Amino acid sequence: MEILVISGLSGSGKSKAASFLEDIGYYIVDNLPAEMMVVFAEFCAASKGRYDRVALVYDVRTGEPAQKLIDALEQMKAAGIHCRMLFLEADNQSIINRYKETRRTHPLAGGGVSVAQALQKERALLQPVRDHADFVLNTSGFSASKLHSEILNLFSDASLEDGMHVNVLSFGFKNGIPVEADLVMDVRFMPNPYYIEELKHKTGLDDGVRDYVFSFSQTNEFMRRMEEMMSFLLPLYSEEGKTVLVLAIGCTGGHHRSVAVAHALAEYIQNAGYPVTETHRDITR
């Protein structure tokens, strides 16, 4: 049995990390006090394999001293439980921007305390936890796709059980190239549905846009060559031990051409037998 404790700064991505871990088979428990972790671990150990992989999310909301978590971890390890901790953090500006986007309140803010001041206090409170972590992941500038890739790299058994995981990502060049991309393809040479009035406000997931994009010979020739390249490259990446491959497809705004092509490529790669995540980074911008 494995217990993974997820801790870190508020706004650093703990909830998303937990959801990604749930996708790969972890049973998630949020905001469990440290003393209850030991009891819960004993319950899981007695469950005869029902709870083999458990992730416990722990942060300042418990209101406990950090030493209680450290003591609980050591107690579980002493009982022979495979126990590790992931600590997530990010720079202040990244976290402040995330709170602005979500309009949520930092758990230590309020009453005249700014997010920046709350972060300073939180960093001090959680420093002993960070020092005790097995993995420290700085998520500054991370997209959800990048965090997903990092979580898979650290904790997924996909490379052993299901083969390499491929993340097919569409994006708009005007919003920047995804930093997590392993391979980047530019499809701005294709005719742009944006200039067709009835298609302008639709996306590459709509039938009309897909039909338009794939009505051109250059699109179909591109797809043929991409499929050949994927058939050649994917087994080689997998043989080299790569667990996650991020394939980014870009057009101007990330709404039409890149979305349609990324969707088609994701289907092709999935049919080839690889686990696939399809992400459209800029489709709502």
Side-chain angles (χ1 to χ4, degrees), residues 151-176:
I151 293 298
L152 285 177
N153 272 324
L154 288 172
F155 303 109
S156 177
D157 291 333
S159 60
L160 298 176
E161 297 176 356
D162 304 313
M164 178 179 64
H165 191 103
V166 182
N167 184 2
V168 183
L169 167 68
S170 73
F171 72 96
F173 276 96
K174 71 177 185 179
N175 298 313

Side-chain angles (χ1 to χ4, degrees), residues 171 173 177-178 180-186 229 246-250:
F171 72 96
F173 276 96
I177 297 175
E180 65 268 34
D182 296 299
L183 300 171
V184 177
M185 302 303 298
D186 183 353
M229 186 166 70
V246 181
L247 171 60
I249 311 295

Side-chain angles (χ1 to χ4, degrees), residues 24-129:
I24 58 175
Y26 281 82
Y27 182 82
I28 308 298
V29 181
D30 190 18
N31 201 26
L32 192 67
E35 291 176 352
M36 289 299 297
M37 286 184 183
V38 179
V39 176
F40 186 71
E42 292 172 351
F43 165 78
C44 292
S47 68
K48 298 181 180 180
R50 185 177 178 186
Y51 302 103
D52 275 344
R53 306 180 85 192
V54 177
L56 309 175
V57 183
Y58 182 93
D59 56 36
V60 294
R61 290 174 297 165
T62 63
E64 296 178 336
Q67 189 59 44
K68 282 199 172 184
L69 173 61
I70 296 169
D71 291 344
L73 288 168
E74 294 305 316
Q75 191 174 340
M76 286 187 285
K77 289 177 181 178
I81 297 170
H82 179 45
C83 187
R84 298 182 292 175
M85 181 160 61
L86 167 67
F87 188 92
L88 276 70
E89 62 184 5
D91 61 51
N92 280 14
Q93 193 58 55
S94 294
I95 292 178
I96 290 169
N97 289 342
R98 291 167 190 171
Y99 273 107
K100 285 181 179 177
E101 290 172 3
T102 61
R103 299 183 180 179
R104 296 178 64 191
T105 303
H106 189 285
L108 298 181
V113 177
S114 68
V115 176
Q117 291 170 325
L119 280 170
Q120 183 178 7
K121 181 179 180 181
E122 186 178 31
R123 287 185 194 278
L125 288 172
L126 291 178
Q127 185 61 45
V129 176

Side-chain angles (χ1 to χ4, degrees), residues 60-280:
V60 294
R61 290 174 297 165
T62 63
E64 296 178 336
Q67 189 59 44
K68 282 199 172 184
L69 173 61
I70 296 169
D71 291 344
L73 288 168
E74 294 305 316
Q75 191 174 340
M76 286 187 285
K77 289 177 181 178
I81 297 170
H82 179 45
C83 187
R84 298 182 292 175
M85 181 160 61
L86 167 67
F87 188 92
L88 276 70
E89 62 184 5
D91 61 51
N92 280 14
Q93 193 58 55
S94 294
I95 292 178
I96 290 169
N97 289 342
R98 291 167 190 171
Y99 273 107
K100 285 181 179 177
E101 290 172 3
T102 61
R103 299 183 180 179
R104 296 178 64 191
T105 303
H106 189 285
L108 298 181
V113 177
S114 68
V115 176
Q117 291 170 325
L119 280 170
Q120 183 178 7
K121 181 179 180 181
E122 186 178 31
R123 287 185 194 278
L125 288 172
L126 291 178
Q127 185 61 45
V129 176
R130 186 189 189 279
D131 293 341
H132 209 77
D134 299 281
F135 309 95
V136 177
L137 190 58
N138 191 311
T139 66
S140 302
F142 272 26
S143 63
S145 175
K146 174 63 174 174
L147 180 58
H148 183 246
S149 296
E150 292 293 335
I151 293 298
L152 285 177
N153 272 324
L154 288 172
F155 303 109
S156 177
D157 291 333
S159 60
L160 298 176
E161 297 176 356
D162 304 313
M164 178 179 64
H165 191 103
V166 182
N167 184 2
V168 183
L169 167 68
S170 73
F171 72 96
F173 276 96
K174 71 177 185 179
N175 298 313
I177 297 175
V179 295
E180 65 268 34
D182 296 299
L183 300 171
V184 177
M185 302 303 298
D186 183 353
V187 297
R188 287 177 292 184
F189 66 88
M190 297 175 184
N192 193 347
Y194 178 84
Y195 298 107
I196 308 298
E197 189 59 35
E198 61 267 28
L199 302 179
K200 181 176 182 177
H201 300 295
K202 295 183 178 182
T203 76
L205 296 177
D206 293 310
D207 291 340
V209 174
R210 283 204 302 270
D211 292 345
Y212 177 84
V213 170
F214 283 93
S215 69
F216 297 94
S217 60
Q218 56 264 48
T219 304
N220 290 288
E221 180 64 16
F222 172 84
M223 286 300 300
R224 184 185 69 80
R225 297 187 183 217
M226 279 296 296
E227 289 170 1
E228 287 181 351
M229 186 166 70
M230 291 298 101
S231 295
F232 172 70
L233 288 177
L234 294 181
L236 298 178
Y237 278 122
S238 185
E239 287 172 13
E240 283 299 308
K242 194 167 184 64
T243 57
V244 181
L245 180 75
V246 181
L247 171 60
I249 311 295
C251 63
T252 304
H255 290 183
H256 299 100
R257 295 165 291 180
S258 63
V259 173
V261 171
H263 180 72
L265 274 174
E267 285 187 342
Y268 173 81
I269 293 168
Q270 185 172 40
N271 289 335
Y274 293 89
V276 175
T277 299
E278 181 182 334
T279 307
H280 303 292

